[in-house]
Amino acid sequence: MTSVTAKAVFRQPDIEYHPDEGKYRARSMRLFTENPDRANVPLSEGFPVQVDGPIVWEGKNWTNEDRWIYRLNAEQLEEINDALGYFKNLNKPMGYLSKETFPLPTLSTTLRGLAHELYSGRGFFVLRTLPIDTYTKADIAIVFAGTLIIRTIVRPAHVILGISSHVGSARGKQDATGAVISHIKDLSVSHAHEKGGIGNAAYTTDKQVFHTDIGDLIALMALQTAAEGGTSRISSGGRIYNELAATRPDIIRTLSVPWPLDSFGGNPGYTMRPLLYHEDGHAIIQYSRRHFTGYSTQKRSPHIPPITEEQAEALDVVHFLAEKYSLCLNFQKGDIQYINSMGLLHARDAFKNDAEHT
């Protein structure tokens, strides 16, 4: 007598990097049809019923950009120039940038107050505006240094590292090469020949959906604006959490268990971790959608565990709630945007370049 044991085959859900609201609603309806009581579950152990604090907000709460923009005056800009000259006269590599080697006698106090907003306040602010056309690229990078994660738009430069050393206490690595500054610009033509293509929407003119970056703080400087589009958006992770905790505790459960993150050819081929954490009454969302869907020519690896239909639904729920409660920032050339990546998600609209804006 021969017996045959059927083995379940798990396939990757029909989900892509760019959220499709129609597919999301159809998936959710199908899952509720299969289990009408799926949302009637308690929260995962230890997770709060609600999180509070000034970092829990909705975009509609912010009606005047003067509440989050700090405009540098002439005296402060001169102080930055003096600090730049001081550091350059030390003849030290950029790794030596710190509050001591880039001294800002009066502006430092202001920056410490703004840093308090990152950790204990709304979670973001914008410095406006550095006259970046008066600096060399190397000088702009010096001025930018200092936060745990530093990202620049379009091109590198020296001025930023010094300012940021008065906001964050350390600089984080951007990638496996050990770089501490990442230059965000369209590489889809110049790097089209690279093996695997461009696997991150950040380096294209495409829309970059809501996500978080590794590290606690992110600094983003605009060296140039787009000819059209490219709006920077942020959203409160705490506000997203509160809605899920109140209406979809099953999604909290889904987000708080380990997921398979694609390393796209790395070793190991994937890692496992949750997308949602809680610490001292705070809810922390940490994820990038492309690790579960792939992006463009960099498809999700076929030989790693797929995500589940419930996880696909959770990805879409988080994204659409982030959009619902988001705030658009009027990012201008020479602005530096600081955000708390433990408490906020961020995104960028698609954009177009021209001969002047590249």
Side-chain angles (χ1 to χ4, degrees):
M1 182 177 177
T2 302
S3 61
V4 178
T5 302
K7 193 172 184 179
V9 177
F10 298 99
R11 294 184 175 87
Q12 176 77 0
D14 180 15
I15 187 170
E16 298 179 351
Y17 176 78
H18 292 293
D20 183 316
E21 188 167 3
K23 289 182 179 179
Y24 152 60
R25 295 193 180 282
R27 175 178 288 111
S28 186
M29 184 178 296
R30 184 171 64 252
L31 290 172
F32 270 105
T33 298
E34 295 171 358
N35 180 9
D37 293 324
R38 58 193 296 259
N40 297 325
V41 297
L43 285 170
S44 299
E45 184 177 356
F47 280 84
V49 174
Q50 179 175 303
V51 295
D52 299 302
I55 203 169
V56 181
W57 47 258
E58 299 181 14
K60 67 181 183 181
N61 299 150
W62 306 101
T63 57
N64 186 343
E65 67 176 15
D66 289 339
R67 295 175 63 187
W68 69 81
I69 290 178
Y70 183 84
R71 290 173 171 81
L72 295 165
N73 60 40
E75 291 77 14
Q76 291 166 332
L77 291 173
E78 185 62 31
E79 194 169 287
I80 291 170
N81 286 337
D82 291 344
L84 175 61
Y86 180 88
F87 180 78
K88 292 171 73 171
N89 286 334
L90 295 176
N91 293 316
K92 290 182 177 291
M94 285 177 57
Y96 284 88
L97 275 164
S98 67
K99 291 185 293 184
E100 291 70 35
T101 60
F102 195 89
L104 298 171
T106 62
L107 181 56
S108 182
T109 300
T110 298
L111 292 174
R112 284 199 298 271
L114 292 169
H116 179 78
E117 281 293 340
L118 295 177
Y119 287 110
S120 303
R122 60 183 171 265
F124 67 99
F125 71 88
V126 173
L127 281 184
R128 180 169 293 169
T129 298
L130 284 169
I132 57 176
D133 289 337
T134 66
Y135 295 116
T136 67
K137 292 180 180 180
D139 288 345
I140 296 175
I142 288 175
V143 176
F144 191 42
T147 58
L148 293 179
I149 288 192
I150 298 172
R151 292 181 179 264
T152 61
I153 291 180
V154 184
R155 290 185 290 272
H158 261 120
V159 181
I160 307 298
L161 294 178
I163 291 176
S164 293
S165 66
H166 294 263
V167 176
S169 59
R171 291 182 288 277
K173 295 180 180 179
Q174 293 287 342
D175 51 40
T177 69
V180 297
I181 300 180
S182 179
H183 314 304
I184 308 299
K185 62 178 296 183
D186 179 22
L187 302 178
S188 56
V189 175
S190 61
H191 289 61
H193 63 283
E194 288 193 356
K195 183 180 179 181
I198 304 296
N200 190 332
Y203 300 103
T204 72
T205 61
D206 201 359
K207 176 180 180 178
Q208 191 177 19
V209 301
F210 278 99
H211 65 285
T212 60
D213 289 328
I214 298 172
D216 58 350
L217 300 181
I218 300 170
L220 185 68
M221 183 186 190
L223 298 185
Q224 183 58 274
T225 55
E228 180 183 333
T231 298
S232 179
R233 302 177 185 273
I234 57 176
S235 193
S236 167
R239 182 63 186 88
I240 296 167
Y241 175 87
N242 283 347
E243 179 139 336
L244 291 174
T247 64
R248 294 295 306 274
D250 58 312
I251 298 289
I252 299 292
R253 283 176 166 260
T254 299
L255 293 169
S256 62
V257 298
W259 291 45
L261 283 76
D262 197 338
S263 60
F264 299 109
N267 185 18
Y270 69 97
T271 56
M272 299 288 293
R273 69 165 178 83
L275 276 58
L276 176 66
Y277 304 83
H278 67 91
E279 182 74 24
D280 295 331
H282 298 285
I284 302 170
I285 299 173
Q286 288 285 289
Y287 86 111
S288 179
R289 186 179 174 102
R290 69 185 183 89
H291 287 289
F292 309 103
T293 64
Y295 173 75
S296 186
T297 57
Q298 192 177 73
K299 306 298 183 185
R300 182 171 170 84
S301 301
H303 303 301
I304 68 172
I307 64 172
T308 67
E309 290 289 333
E310 289 79 8
Q311 288 173 328
E313 179 194 29
L315 285 176
D316 284 342
V317 169
V318 170
H319 174 81
F320 288 119
L321 285 178
E323 279 195 335
K324 178 180 178 180
Y325 296 121
S326 67
L327 171 67
C328 302
L329 298 179
N330 178 25
F331 217 13
Q332 299 181 9
K333 182 177 179 178
D335 283 358
I336 308 174
Q337 168 186 302
Y338 292 92
I339 65 174
N340 180 335
S341 194
M342 293 293 190
L344 305 182
L345 286 70
H346 61 284
R348 183 203 68 203
D349 289 357
F351 65 94
K352 295 181 179 178
N353 286 331
D354 60 19
E356 181 182 353
H357 304 82
T358 60

